[in-house]
Every structure is written in structure tokens, then in C-alpha cells.
Amino acid sequence: MKLTILVTLLVTVVAVAVVTMNTSSQKGDSGVSDNTPDPRRNGIDLDRRINTFATEIVADSGYRPPSRVERRTVAEGVGLLVDGRRAEAGRKLAEVDFGVRTLTDRATGRRYAEVADAAGEANRGWGRVYVGLGAPVRWSVQVPHPVADADSERLGSGVLTGQPGGVLVVAGAHRRAGRGDAADVAHRRDTVFHAVCDELAERRLPGVQLHGFADSTEPDYDVIVSTGRDRSAEARESGRRLARALGGRDFEVCRAWARKCVLEGRENKQGRAAAELDVPFLHVEFSHSVRSDAERAGQAVAAVRSAVAGWM
């Protein structure tokens, strides 16, 4: 009888040890099981989502000019998100039928708040905003002419997802979608796009705005970098930092503060507003050859990422 009990106890001890060893082998050095939910497994491809928005919504969108109240309401809602006041932001944005949802980027595991028109964004054409979560917001990347400046939206999404602390502002309609130049947001102050960028500048967030040009426009250069109307030392240093990053990746760069370039963005409304507030702003034009080549576009994105890292 005693022998039977002893054997039973030994078998139990061995079984427990085996279970413990197996459990430990399924854990890393942190002691967290491999079965712990990984947010990236349930995430989305944020780059694809943003680029699909451009190709499927922006390309065919109509445009209705927003009222002053409408554009300020969207901008204030985005400002509340930047301040970390999610519930208040949601209520404010709902006043103009905009919604907020939280998305996790599968590639990085980072979370973003997506601000989008919930009333049919293909009709109003007011655009989207993506606010990085989980880290203080330090900078913005702006895409005023998606589709029109082909693949500029891809550059913008790549900059956003590759560096924490950013906000991406994307126009919601082709620049020629409205009557006259009503939808050309880079050259107007009465748009949702401008109101949001201005709100970010008022929070002292520097911005980089991405554009595209035809190769024949400036055949000797791949990229044109300008600080717009801002001649401050801080803006110049931001421009030089980006130009060095691009030059280090074998791009030919026209530096608008050092010589005359064809496209300098001096009449850009977001750049002028930033200059009035003494907030650094970079106006960057990429050639078609750069934007249309996946490898070169990737290098361009890496250069812009390294430049905005200086604003962290």
C-alpha cells in the first residue's frame, strides 16, 4: 500500500515537472507566453488603407467648399485628439458628421486615430487625418495633391508609419475637383485641409508638405527642398537636414535657400501660415522618376523620416 502511494506521488511530481518545463519553453526571456495577443495580428496595412483612399475615393470625389464653422469644427476636433482628449474630439467631430476610429498598423504595431468623413466622403471631399497615438505628437506630414501629384500619398503614408509622433493630413479631392481652384488646398485658406494644418501649426508642430513635379520641369534635379517664406535659422536648419539626408541617398537636390529653383512653394498657404507663427515648414517636390520607382521612393521616404526625427 505504501509503495503504491509512493509511486503515485513520484508520477505526479514528474508530471508537474514536465508541464512546468513545457510551459517555460513556450515563454521568452520576459516570461510572457508566445500565446499573448499581438496587436499586429489583428491590425491592418495602414499604408494600403491610406493609398486605397486616394485611388478609390479621392480620384473620383466631388468637392463642396466647407463653411467657416465646418472647417473650424474639424480642425478643433483634430486639435483635441492631439491633446489626448479622445472623447471630446469625437463629440466635436460628430457635429459635422466626421468620425474617429482607432487603427493598429500591422507592420509596426503602432496605433493611429483616423479622422474621416462619415457622411459620404466622396461627396464633400474634405479629406482625412491620421494622428499617431501612444507617443507625444511632434510633427506633421501633409499631402495636398493626392492622385494629382501621383504617388505623393504613398510618400506621406510611408513617412507617417515609419516614424512615431506624427500626424498625416491628406486632402480629400483631386485639386481640380472643385469649381475653379476651390479644391486646390495648397493655395487656399478656406479649406478643411488648411484649417487642420493651421491648428497643428498653432500647436507649434513643424510640418513637411509633399508634392510632385514632372521630370521635364526641373531635369537636373530629383528633389526641390524649400522653406517657403520662412527665412528663420530654425527653418533653414530643417531644410539643410533634409537636403543632407537626400543627398546622402544619391538624390540631386535643388536647395531653394541657396539658388533659384523652379518650384519653391513661396505662395503655399500652409507654409505662409506657418511662417507667420515662426513654425518650421518644409515644401518638398519630388520628380516623377522618384515617385514612380518603388526603390527610389523608399529612399526618399527614409530621408524624410530622418529629417522629421530632428523635430522629436
Side-chain angles (χ1 to χ4, degrees):
M1 182 67 175
K2 290 182 179 180
L3 180 60
T4 301
I5 294 173
L6 181 60
V7 170
T8 302
L9 288 173
L10 287 172
V11 170
T12 302
V13 169
V14 170
V16 170
V18 170
V19 170
T20 301
M21 289 174 64
N22 286 340
T23 302
S24 298
S25 68
Q26 294 173 2
K27 297 180 180 179
D29 293 339
S30 65
V32 178
S33 171
D34 288 345
N35 293 325
T36 300
D38 183 345
R40 289 176 293 186
R41 294 176 182 172
N42 297 318
I44 64 165
D45 185 332
L46 190 61
D47 281 313
R48 178 177 294 180
R49 182 179 182 85
I50 294 168
N51 296 317
T52 297
F53 165 66
T55 57
E56 296 186 1
I57 303 295
V58 173
D60 298 316
S61 177
Y63 185 73
R64 176 176 74 75
S67 69
R68 183 181 183 280
V69 170
E70 288 169 329
R71 58 183 185 263
R72 286 305 311 153
T73 299
V74 177
E76 288 169 10
V78 172
L80 289 167
L81 271 177
V82 170
D83 293 342
R85 297 156 66 181
R86 168 64 185 268
E88 293 175 65
R91 290 193 292 271
K92 173 61 68 174
L93 290 163
E95 294 176 12
V96 288
D97 294 320
F98 265 61
V100 184
R101 69 173 67 184
T102 300
L103 305 172
T104 299
D105 179 39
R106 185 183 301 126
T108 63
R110 297 194 187 108
R111 295 181 305 117
Y112 298 86
E114 177 189 74
V115 177
D117 195 333
E121 58 188 356
N123 298 317
R124 297 195 289 190
W126 293 351
R128 289 186 185 179
V129 182
Y130 291 84
V131 180
L133 304 175
V137 176
R138 303 295 191 196
W139 51 271
S140 76
V141 55
Q142 306 162 14
V143 180
H145 298 145
V147 181
D149 288 356
D151 296 316
S152 59
E153 62 276 0
R154 293 184 180 276
L155 299 179
S157 66
V159 174
L160 176 74
T161 57
Q163 186 71 35
V167 178
L168 170 65
V169 189
V170 188
H174 191 286
R175 65 187 300 177
R176 296 191 181 90
R179 180 174 298 177
D181 66 346
D184 186 357
V185 299
H187 299 105
R188 299 189 68 98
R189 289 179 179 262
D190 57 352
T191 66
V192 168
F193 182 92
H194 180 81
V196 171
C197 291
D198 198 42
E199 184 80 16
L200 299 176
E202 288 180 356
R203 283 172 163 72
R204 315 299 303 169
L205 300 182
V208 55
Q209 192 171 108
L210 308 180
H211 294 259
F213 66 92
D215 293 353
S216 59
T217 300
E218 189 70 281
D220 294 331
Y221 294 99
D222 301 306
V223 191
I224 302 167
V225 179
S226 172
T227 60
R229 291 197 171 228
D230 192 345
R231 301 293 188 176
S232 68
E234 186 176 7
R236 292 278 185 92
E237 178 50 38
S238 295
R240 291 189 183 102
R241 185 169 62 244
L242 176 55
R244 287 194 298 269
L246 289 163
R249 290 169 171 80
D250 297 324
F251 290 104
E252 293 296 328
V253 183
C254 186
R255 298 161 171 82
W257 57 89
R259 58 147 292 168
K260 180 67 176 177
C261 302
V262 173
L263 299 166
E264 299 182 346
R266 300 200 189 282
E267 299 306 314
N268 181 280
K269 299 304 184 184
Q270 293 76 55
R272 296 184 72 169
E276 290 167 6
L277 295 167
D278 293 321
V279 175
F281 175 87
L282 296 177
H283 182 278
V284 190
E285 297 266 1
F286 291 94
S287 71
H288 180 265
S289 293
V290 171
R291 289 175 284 122
S292 61
D293 182 280
E295 183 175 352
R296 299 194 80 199
Q299 288 297 315
V301 166
V304 178
R305 287 175 182 171
S306 67
V308 302
W311 291 332
M312 297 294 286

